[in-house]
Amino acid sequence: MASITIPLSPPNPHSLSSRNSFFSSPSFTKLLRSPPSFYFSFARKSSLSVSASSSTRALEALIFDCDGVILESEHLHRQAYNDAFSHFNVRCPNDDDNGKLNWSLEFYDVLQNQIGGGKPKMRWYFKEHGWPTSTIFQNPPEDDNDRAKLIDTLQDWKTERYKEIIKSGTVKPRSGVLRLMDEAKAAGKKLAVCSAATKSSVILCLENLIGLDRFHGLDCFLAGDDVKEKKPDPSIYITAAKKLGVSESNCLVVEDSVIGLQAATGAGMSCVITYTSSTADQDFKEAIAIYPDLSDVRFSDLESLLQAVVVTK
């Protein structure tokens, strides 16, 4: 059957200025406002074949990540980790500053974009830099049980410190998030939050940032505690689709990092990116749209985007 090929030249995903100019350009706005019969996908290829034997996706569930999407939180997590390291006098043998552990902004930007979840971050770091001394263990732990106890203790203290920061009232949700949530519910769509973070800290964030009514109105809420594998493993999104009772292809995920993007696409879901300062230069070519924030994004825009994703039969 004949197909129509539409050449599209996406910007270099590594170029922030190029990306910003493309996604704010009149040509992109025109694509977003195109009627449902005009299907496109600009993220994966520089050209597109649209066939009459193809079908489209209908947006039935909107799924948000939490950290980086609902709030810009990575600097808060870094602060809480460093406070935990200081509190327990954590010292790694291969680190500078007499081994006193303190994650710099530059280092944490790289770490948090490569390894999801707090415990996996620390476990990786200690394997690379040597298991530390601390007030928890005077000597570096050598067996798996002691190492797990060290990481559990640090993570639990860090989580409580992070909660204190959130409770301070100085943290606000990112622009456009609350409106999009309300528009999705008003349209009768399912709404979910899926985060790799500890459940107690995510609950606290959501209660303080989106409010109790929106939090209790979620159709699904999953945290890192609810699945065995962290992002970029797709388990959390596959589980969410089952709980929501919708097909993965009819879900749209909002993420801020390539780790989250890989988790979403690995689950068979389309994903839009709202990047942060620490993720802006990542390769988001698998996303169906990329935004600096959600302030000018409407739910109807997201419906059009997902409807424009071609599913070949």
Side-chain angles (χ1 to χ4, degrees), residues 59 83 109 182 235:
L59 179 49
D83 288 348
D109 272 353
D182 292 343
S235 299

Side-chain angles (χ1 to χ4, degrees), residues 124-140:
W124 175 87
Y125 187 88
F126 295 148
K127 284 182 178 179
E128 292 292 317
H129 295 261
W131 287 87
T133 60
S134 65
T135 57
I136 304 168
F137 291 103
Q138 186 175 2
N139 296 315

Side-chain angles (χ1 to χ4, degrees), residues 44-62:
R44 294 172 181 250
K45 299 179 181 180
S46 60
S47 64
L48 165 70
S49 292
V50 181
S51 173
S53 62
S54 299
S55 61
T56 58
R57 303 183 179 193
L59 179 49
E60 296 180 9
L62 184 61

Side-chain angles (χ1 to χ4, degrees), residues 192-208:
V193 172
C194 292
S195 171
T198 306
K199 175 165 281 189
S200 60
S201 67
V202 182
I203 290 175
L204 184 75
C205 283
L206 295 178
E207 287 179 344
N208 281 270

Side-chain angles (χ1 to χ4, degrees), residues 205-221:
C205 283
L206 295 178
E207 287 179 344
N208 281 270
L209 294 175
I210 72 172
L212 290 175
D213 288 344
R214 289 189 186 90
F215 176 59
H216 292 302
L218 292 174
D219 298 288
C220 176
F221 162 60

Side-chain angles (χ1 to χ4, degrees), residues 211-265:
L212 290 175
D213 288 344
R214 289 189 186 90
F215 176 59
H216 292 302
L218 292 174
D219 298 288
C220 176
F221 162 60
L222 294 174
D225 316 53
D226 295 313
V227 290
K228 292 183 179 180
E229 301 295 333
K230 304 286 188 181
K231 300 174 185 178
D233 186 275
S235 299
I236 195 166
Y237 287 126
I238 294 172
T239 302
K242 292 178 180 178
K243 287 184 174 292
L244 291 168
V246 300
S247 168
E248 289 87 347
S249 64
N250 293 328
C251 297
L252 182 62
V253 177
V254 184
E255 277 280 2
D256 71 300
S257 71
V258 71
I259 286 179
L261 173 61
Q262 290 169 349
T265 56

